[in-house]
């Protein structure tokens, strides 16, 4: 009799511990939200063209940017993005991780972003 009670109790315990949902995620149509790109402020420090023709810009991020490095390099696929932007300019930009590299997707000149003040 004791074995029978223990069998029932252990069966109930296992049933209670089993997940109530399946491990596979369910996809709900129309539930995907568009992710807005994050705009970051920086100072354009330099341009660098590699021997293979790839163009990179180095951007010094403002201190309040929540990125681990102060200066980061971004690949520029569309050279027209940099027309009229000189070294030392304050810029506002967006980037994506494409083909294993941080790639600039948009950039524009902006007024200097003063520390501890709201940026334009």
């Amino acid at each position: 009799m004791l074995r029978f009670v223990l069998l029932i109790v252990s069966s109930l315990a296992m049933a209670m511990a089993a997940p109530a949902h399946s491990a596979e995620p369910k996809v709900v149509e129309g539930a995907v939200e568009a992710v807005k790109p994050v705009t970051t402020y920086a100072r354009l420090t330099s341009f660098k063209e590699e021997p293979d023709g790839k163009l990179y810009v180095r951007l010094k991020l403002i201190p309040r940017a929540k990125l681990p490095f102060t200066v980061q390099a971004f690949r520029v696929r569309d050279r027209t993005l940099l027309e009229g932007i000189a070294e030392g300019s304050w810029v506002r930009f967006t980037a994506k991780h494409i083909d294993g590299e941080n790639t600039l997707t948009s950039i524009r000149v902006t007024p200097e972003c003063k520390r501890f003040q709201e940026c334009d």
Side-chain angles (χ1 to χ4, degrees):
M1 174 88 168
L2 182 60
R3 286 185 187 174
F4 180 71
V5 172
L6 289 175
L7 180 65
I8 292 175
V9 170
S10 64
S11 297
L12 287 173
M14 288 175 49
M16 297 292 278
H21 63 299
S22 67
E24 295 180 24
K26 294 181 181 178
V27 179
V28 178
E29 290 183 37
V32 178
E33 291 183 27
V35 178
K36 292 182 181 179
V38 176
T39 301
T40 307
Y41 294 88
R43 177 184 251 148
L44 195 145
T45 58
S46 65
F47 301 98
K48 181 181 180 184
E49 187 162 359
E50 297 286 322
D52 60 358
K54 292 181 180 179
L55 179 63
Y56 292 89
V57 292
R58 290 176 51 89
L59 299 172
K60 183 174 183 179
L61 306 175
I62 59 172
R64 68 176 151 258
K66 294 182 180 182
L67 297 172
F69 304 104
T70 303
V71 179
Q72 288 190 331
F74 294 87
R75 181 166 181 206
V76 180
R77 289 186 170 211
D78 183 7
R79 293 172 184 262
T80 60
L81 290 174
L82 299 176
E83 289 179 359
I85 301 177
E87 288 184 11
S89 298
W90 283 92
V91 295
R92 191 175 169 175
F93 72 97
T94 58
K96 286 185 180 180
H97 196 74
I98 302 172
D99 295 333
E101 295 182 304
N102 292 330
T103 305
L104 206 62
T105 56
S106 71
I107 188 168
R108 66 183 175 112
V109 177
T110 188
E112 181 179 351
C113 191
K114 304 239 188 241
R115 194 171 182 160
F116 304 119
Q117 293 181 5
E118 198 66 33
C119 296
D120 294 332

